[in-house]
């Protein structure tokens, strides 16, 4: 044999040897070390029953449970084990037809394979559970699985607390690291979502041995491999449930929002977005129907306007405009202007005032108390045209720095998902709008000085601004959760950002005092003089934001007491008119309830009046009217169809069967020993029956 052939033979031997070694190693691995196929085999013999834990409870500031847990049951199916199921009885109990049964079964197989359990009917009602319990022996492959679900004893704070729902495949892909399985429930919004890892707890598993017909024979290995469920941990919040309920009551029949914060800690006392909904409608087996209905609702009850609604702050912005000018040395508290009812120094741009009486803008305190548009337009121009910055564009950028420092135009990172940052426009926006940096100046954006133009803010940002002014230059990031049960290192890391004081700027106490005095005068003789809190002096600012789509929005911001403030509030009522008409009384009652723990006799009368005030836009009312009419028409149509079907069934019972129908019932009996005669008779009989039914229907119409 040549040397070449010997070399080639060795290569082939080496390859064969290597393949043999690999195969041998893999066999050893699969049979001795790997548990992959062992687990697959065990899954055929062992039934895993998941024991769901109780989710953690969320408490208000006085340790009252805002939500609780109760027991419900899911109907769970393992498709591979459903042979022999009485589908007719099951469908009748569940109120579905066989096509829906097949669809659900295919969905279960697609989502979770044939051999793994999937939820067939979630969150059974008590009546449905009772009917199923006494018939479960007819449904092999189906089991009733216990689950803890939420209830809400106070029927409040739905948008804050959020809701839980079954995880889908997209959720599982996104949260692989959390170990969810099909059939698990997780927080989908609100605090339930933000603190899911704390509230969820840990599933327990019980294992049962099965025979070759999948019948459970008892506990597997005496339960030594079972694990017990571990309940989720509780959250302790700064919410005051009574203040929350009052705020929701006051905002009934209105579109808007209210936020109340403790400026000492940043803890949110109350946050309301109206319209809202009863959180109990998103629990139990009616959740899907109610969720779909609310998502389509034109008034958006699931939309949290407190963190997503973007409104021009209007005159509530003026205290901040004053602070900027004071800090830059552009004005003093004694600075004043003469105002005869408007600001016309910009030529073509004229800003009107609500006052024309002499001396109402003679100094800062008077200008704030009377909410003089001319005064704050002039102050804004001074800030942008400050020669220290070179030109109006640079002056605007410096002004924007102040806005961002005070929490406008950026997210405050509240512990709720989906917070919006609203808008403090950049110079690039105006460069595009006006066609270049040199083609606009302080007059071009004059209405920014009175909280209009392209500026927007969320109610949360407005309330936080009041915290900064109340604290004279610092704030704690707004948040709901003050502490977590059995706080761990990772919890401390999460909560530390809410426990850290944020100093805004180096604005002096003297400048803050000047603004606070003016805001106090608002409540003494100014635009909110009629809004009183028994025994409490407070600082406030009214606002009326222009709305191009209808009546102006009503805004009100405040903090109380005047000295050592304990609550800061912002209220927005869409289409509410002047700030002191709709938003102001709501804010006053919220502060009164929190500080005095009750409402006075006059306060109760005001609360009843405000509650009955209907400010829902006519367009939304028309939408509801149209939807109600459509719903009524659908119900009437269904009632007519059911009545017609019932009448037809009764008629069919009364009319005796003719020979043709009898032939059909006999099936395929051959006539005259001719095999094809049966088919001919069946076709002829079908035609005769069709004609007979047609005559019956025509007779009923006549």
């Amino acid at each position: 044999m040549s040397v070449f052939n010997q070399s080639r033979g060795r290569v082939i031997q080496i390859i064969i040897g290597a393949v043999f070694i690999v195969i041998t190693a893999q066999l050893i691995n699969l049979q001795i070390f790997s548990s992959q196929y062992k687990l697959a085999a065990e899954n055929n013999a062992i039934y895993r029953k998941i024991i769901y834990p109780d989710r953690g409870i969320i408490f208000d500031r006085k340790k009252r449970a805002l939500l609780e847990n109760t027991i419900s049951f899911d109907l769970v199916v393992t498709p591979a084990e459903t042979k022999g199921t009485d589908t007719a009885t099951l469908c009748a109990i569940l109120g579905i037809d066989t096509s829906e049964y097949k669809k659900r079964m295919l969905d279960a197989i697609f989502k979770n394979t044939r051999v793994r359990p999937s939820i067939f009917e979630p969150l059974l009602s008590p009546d449905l559970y009772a009917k199923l319990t006494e018939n479960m022996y007819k449904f092999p492959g189906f089991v009733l699985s216990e689950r803890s679900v939420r209830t809400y004893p106070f029927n409040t704070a739905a948008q804050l607390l959020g809701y839980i729902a079954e995880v889908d495949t997209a959720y599982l892909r996104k949260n692989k690291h959390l170990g969810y399985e099909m059939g698990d429930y997780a927080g989908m919004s609100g605090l339930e979502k933000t603190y899911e890892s704390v509230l969820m707890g840990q599933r327990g598993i019980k294992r049962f041995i099965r025979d070759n017909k999948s019948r459970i024979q008892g506990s597997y290995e005496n339960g030594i491999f079972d694990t017990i469920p571990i309940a989720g941990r509780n959250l302790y919040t700064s919410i005051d449930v009574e203040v929350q309920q009052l705020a929701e009551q006051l905002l009934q029949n209105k579109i808007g929002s209210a936020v109340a914060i403790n400026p000492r800690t940043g803890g949110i006392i109350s946050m309301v977005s109206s319209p809202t909904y009863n959180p109990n409608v998103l629990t139990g087996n009616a959740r899907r129907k109610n969720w779909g209905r609310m998502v389509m609702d034109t008034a958006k009850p699931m939309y949290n306007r407190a963190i997503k609604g973007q409104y021009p702050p209007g005159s509530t912005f003026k205290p901040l405009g004053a602070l900027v000018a004071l800090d830059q040395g552009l004005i003093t508290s004694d600075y004043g202007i003469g105002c005869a009812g408007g600001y016309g120094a910009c030529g073509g741009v004229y800003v009107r005032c609500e006052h024309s009486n002499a001396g109402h803008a003679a100094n800062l305190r008077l200008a704030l108390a009377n909410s003089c548009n001319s005064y704050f337009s002039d102050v804004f121009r001074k800030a942008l045209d400050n020669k220290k910055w070179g030109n109006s564009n640079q002056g605007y950028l410096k002004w924007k720095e102040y806005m961002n420092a005070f929490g406008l135009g950026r997210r405050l990172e509240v512990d709720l998902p989906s917070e919006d940052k609203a808008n403090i426009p950049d110079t690039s926006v105006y460069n595009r709008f006006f066609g270049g940096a040199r083609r606009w100046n302080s007059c071009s954006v004059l209405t920014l000085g009175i909280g209009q133009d392209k500026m927007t803010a969320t109610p949360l940002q407005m309330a936080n601004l009041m915290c900064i002014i109340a604290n004279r230059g610092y704030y704690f990031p707004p948040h709901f959760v003050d502490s977590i049960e059995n706080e761990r290192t990772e919890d401390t890391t999460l909560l530390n950002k809410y426990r850290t004081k944020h100093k805004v700027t180096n604005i002096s106490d003297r400048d803050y005092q000047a603004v606070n005095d003016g805001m106090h005068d608002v409540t003494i003789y100014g635009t909110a003089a009629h809004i009183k809190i028994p025994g409490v002096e407070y600082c406030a600012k009214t606002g009326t934001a222009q709305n191009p789509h209808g009546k102006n929005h009503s805004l009100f911001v405040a903090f109380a007491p005047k000295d050592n403030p304990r609550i800061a509030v912002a209220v927005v009522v869409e289409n509410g008119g002047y700030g002191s008409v709709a938003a102001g009384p709501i804010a006053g009652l919220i502060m009164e309830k929190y500080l005095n723990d009750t409402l006075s006799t006059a306060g109760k009368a005001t609360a009843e009046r405000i509650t009955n005030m209907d400010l829902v836009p006519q367009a939304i009312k028309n939408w509801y009217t149209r939807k109600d009419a459509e719903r009524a028409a659908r119900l009437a149509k269904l009632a007519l169809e059911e009545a017609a079907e019932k009448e037809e069934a009764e008629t069919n019972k009364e009319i005796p069967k003719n020979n043709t129908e009898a032939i059909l019932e006999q099936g395929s009996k051959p006539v005259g020993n001719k095999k094809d005669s049966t088919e001919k008779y069946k076709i002829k009989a079908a035609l005769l029956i069709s004609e007979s039914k047609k005559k019956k229907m025509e007779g009923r119409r006549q």
Side-chain angles (χ1 to χ4, degrees):
M1 181 183 293
S2 67
V3 175
F4 173 77
N5 288 335
Q6 288 179 354
S7 177
R8 185 169 61 180
R10 289 196 190 94
V11 171
I12 294 172
Q13 290 174 353
I14 291 170
I15 292 172
I16 293 172
V19 170
F20 177 78
I21 291 171
V22 169
I23 292 173
T24 303
Q26 182 65 3
L27 287 171
I28 293 171
N29 177 56
L30 290 175
Q31 294 185 45
I32 298 176
F33 300 107
S34 175
S35 60
Q36 177 182 355
Y37 292 99
K38 180 183 178 184
L39 289 174
E42 285 182 349
N43 284 336
N44 292 327
I46 300 171
Y47 173 70
R48 293 169 68 251
K49 182 178 181 181
I50 296 175
I51 311 298
Y52 292 102
D54 285 341
R55 288 179 68 86
I57 305 299
I58 301 177
F59 294 93
D60 86 336
R61 73 186 186 99
K62 294 182 179 179
K63 303 298 187 292
R64 293 170 290 199
L66 298 172
L67 48 72
E68 296 172 344
N69 294 312
T70 189
I71 297 300
S72 184
F73 289 85
D74 296 332
L75 180 62
V76 176
V77 63
T78 304
E81 301 172 7
T82 56
K83 185 178 180 181
T85 291
D86 185 349
T87 55
T89 302
L90 181 59
C91 289
I93 293 173
L94 297 179
I96 61 175
D97 55 25
T98 53
S99 62
E100 175 65 16
Y101 174 90
K102 292 175 182 176
K103 178 181 177 297
R104 293 190 187 186
M105 198 65 71
L106 289 173
D107 287 343
I109 294 169
F110 177 76
K111 291 179 181 178
N112 219 18
T113 75
R114 286 180 174 274
V115 297
R116 301 187 69 180
S118 299
I119 294 177
F120 190 83
E121 178 77 13
L123 304 174
L124 304 172
S125 65
D127 289 343
L128 195 55
Y129 171 74
K131 290 177 183 177
L132 285 169
T133 300
E134 60 188 25
N135 287 280
M136 285 305 293
Y137 69 93
K138 300 177 182 178
F139 315 135
F142 289 86
V143 295
L144 293 169
S145 178
E146 186 178 299
R147 180 187 296 281
S148 174
V149 297
R150 296 301 208 186
T151 58
Y152 303 86
F154 293 101
N155 301 332
T156 192
Q159 292 138 328
L160 315 183
L161 300 175
Y163 65 92
I164 59 174
E166 184 181 354
V167 300
D168 56 18
T169 52
Y171 191 97
L172 292 175
R173 285 195 301 269
K174 187 177 180 181
N175 298 279
K176 288 181 180 178
H177 60 289
L178 295 178
Y180 289 98
E181 297 180 4
M182 291 300 299
D184 287 353
Y185 275 51
M188 296 296 169
S189 67
L191 296 176
E192 293 272 24
K193 181 176 182 179
T194 302
Y195 293 94
E196 170 65 16
S197 60
V198 175
L199 294 167
M200 66 183 290
Q202 185 174 320
R203 292 187 306 268
I205 297 177
K206 283 189 175 182
R207 292 171 172 82
F208 299 91
I209 192 71
R210 298 192 288 195
D211 62 15
N212 60 345
K213 294 185 178 179
S214 293
R215 294 174 299 195
I216 293 177
Q217 300 300 303
S219 178
Y220 176 68
E221 295 290 344
N222 294 321
I224 61 173
F225 296 106
D226 294 349
T227 57
I228 61 171
I230 300 174
R233 291 177 293 142
N234 300 330
L235 302 179
Y236 300 95
T237 73
S238 52
I239 299 170
D240 188 308
V241 68
E242 292 181 2
V243 176
Q244 179 75 18
Q245 288 178 310
L246 174 64
E248 290 185 8
Q249 172 195 324
L250 296 172
L251 278 165
Q252 284 180 11
N253 305 313
K254 303 167 191 67
I255 309 294
S257 178
V259 179
I261 305 176
N262 182 346
R264 297 176 179 178
T265 64
I268 298 174
I269 299 163
S270 171
M271 178 183 284
V272 175
S273 177
S274 182
T276 185
Y277 62 93
N278 184 335
N280 283 297
V281 303
L282 290 185
T283 62
N285 57 355
R287 188 193 70 81
R288 293 178 183 175
K289 180 182 69 174
N290 291 328
W291 187 87
R293 175 178 55 80
M294 289 191 293
V295 166
M296 299 302 294
D297 193 325
T298 190
K300 300 181 179 179
M302 299 183 72
Y303 180 78
N304 191 345
R305 290 171 169 83
I307 59 173
K308 297 188 74 64
Q310 300 185 31
Y311 304 94
S315 294
T316 63
F317 167 77
K318 290 173 181 175
L320 179 52
L323 283 171
V324 173
L326 288 167
D327 188 50
Q328 293 187 15
L330 302 173
I331 65 170
T332 66
S333 59
D334 295 327
Y335 175 77
I337 64 169
C339 174
Y343 184 81
C346 282
V349 182
Y350 186 76
V351 179
R352 293 187 178 277
C353 281
E354 297 294 333
H355 300 270
S356 58
N357 54 297
H360 74 269
N363 57 52
L364 176 59
R365 289 181 65 167
L366 285 166
L368 281 169
N370 293 288
S371 195
C372 179
N373 286 342
S374 295
Y375 187 95
F376 290 98
S377 296
D378 180 72
V379 165
F380 173 73
R381 286 196 67 199
K382 281 179 166 53
L384 262 64
D385 296 337
N386 189 348
K387 294 181 180 179
K388 182 177 180 181
W389 316 121
N391 56 51
S392 295
N393 281 45
Q394 293 302 313
Y396 179 88
L397 289 173
K398 188 64 180 178
W399 176 86
K400 184 175 182 294
E401 283 183 22
Y402 277 97
M403 300 302 105
N404 295 153
F406 277 85
L408 303 182
R410 65 179 180 84
R411 294 180 182 86
L412 297 172
E413 297 186 3
V414 65
D415 48 352
L416 287 179
S418 304
E419 178 195 3
D420 281 354
K421 65 178 182 179
N423 186 46
I424 299 295
D426 192 70
T427 52
S428 60
V429 174
Y430 289 115
N431 291 343
R432 288 194 301 271
F433 184 79
F434 291 105
R438 297 187 179 184
R439 303 188 68 173
W440 64 277
N441 54 35
S442 59
C443 283
S444 307
V445 294
L446 183 63
T447 54
L448 283 173
I450 56 172
Q452 295 284 168
D453 197 75
K454 298 181 186 300
M455 174 197 298
T456 60
T458 65
L460 177 66
Q461 290 171 335
M462 297 181 206
N464 189 63
L465 174 59
M466 287 300 101
C467 289
I468 296 171
I469 295 176
N471 292 331
R472 303 195 178 192
Y474 70 88
Y475 73 98
F476 292 90
H479 60 276
F480 290 96
V481 176
D482 289 332
S483 63
I484 298 173
E485 181 184 21
N486 300 324
E487 189 170 312
R488 302 170 183 168
T489 303
E490 58 269 25
D491 302 328
T492 304
T493 302
L494 174 64
L495 296 179
N496 270 348
K497 68 178 180 180
Y498 300 119
R499 297 166 177 170
T500 303
K501 181 189 292 188
H502 291 251
K503 187 168 178 62
V504 176
T505 64
N506 292 317
I507 297 176
S508 68
D509 278 358
R510 182 185 64 227
D511 292 339
Y512 276 109
Q513 186 63 53
V515 170
N516 287 10
D517 289 342
M519 292 178 67
H520 182 231
D521 290 345
V522 169
T523 69
I524 302 300
Y525 62 85
T527 53
H530 66 287
I531 301 171
K532 302 297 183 183
I533 303 175
V536 179
E537 292 188 14
Y538 71 103
C539 300
K541 186 70 193 76
T542 57
T544 307
Q546 293 179 5
N547 173 25
H549 307 292
K551 192 176 178 181
N552 290 340
H553 299 325
S554 174
L555 296 90
F556 195 89
V557 294
F559 58 84
K562 176 179 180 291
D563 301 313
N564 299 316
R566 292 162 46 205
I567 183 172
V569 181
V571 179
V572 177
V573 179
E574 296 183 20
N575 311 110
Y578 289 116
S580 60
V581 173
I586 293 173
L589 291 167
I590 289 173
M591 290 186 289
E592 180 181 346
K593 175 64 177 175
Y594 180 73
L595 295 173
N596 297 341
D597 204 31
T598 187
L599 294 180
S600 63
T601 302
K604 290 176 181 176
T606 302
E608 184 176 358
R609 177 178 64 83
I610 295 298
T611 299
N612 295 328
M613 185 185 293
D614 188 349
L615 296 173
V616 176
Q618 190 59 44
I620 293 179
K621 291 180 179 178
N622 292 343
W623 185 88
Y624 282 126
T625 302
R626 187 169 65 253
K627 288 296 178 183
D628 288 343
E630 291 173 359
R631 189 179 299 111
R634 284 197 303 271
L635 292 174
K637 183 180 178 182
L638 288 172
L640 288 172
E641 290 175 352
E642 289 175 2
E645 289 175 1
K646 186 176 180 181
E647 183 181 355
E648 183 179 359
E650 293 296 327
T651 304
N652 289 338
K653 286 180 182 178
E654 294 171 3
I655 299 175
K657 295 177 182 176
N658 56 35
N659 293 334
T660 314
E661 291 171 320
I663 290 171
L664 273 186
E665 282 189 353
Q666 290 175 7
S668 58
K669 292 182 180 179
V671 180
N673 294 324
K674 294 182 180 179
K675 293 182 180 178
D676 60 339
S677 62
T678 301
E679 296 302 322
K680 291 179 181 179
Y681 271 95
K682 289 172 71 175
I683 294 169
K684 185 177 180 181
L687 291 171
L688 289 171
I689 289 174
S690 178
E691 289 175 3
S692 174
K693 287 185 177 178
K694 186 176 180 182
K695 288 177 181 178
K696 293 173 192 172
M697 294 301 291
E698 287 175 352
R700 276 201 293 271
R701 291 195 194 100
Q702 292 172 359

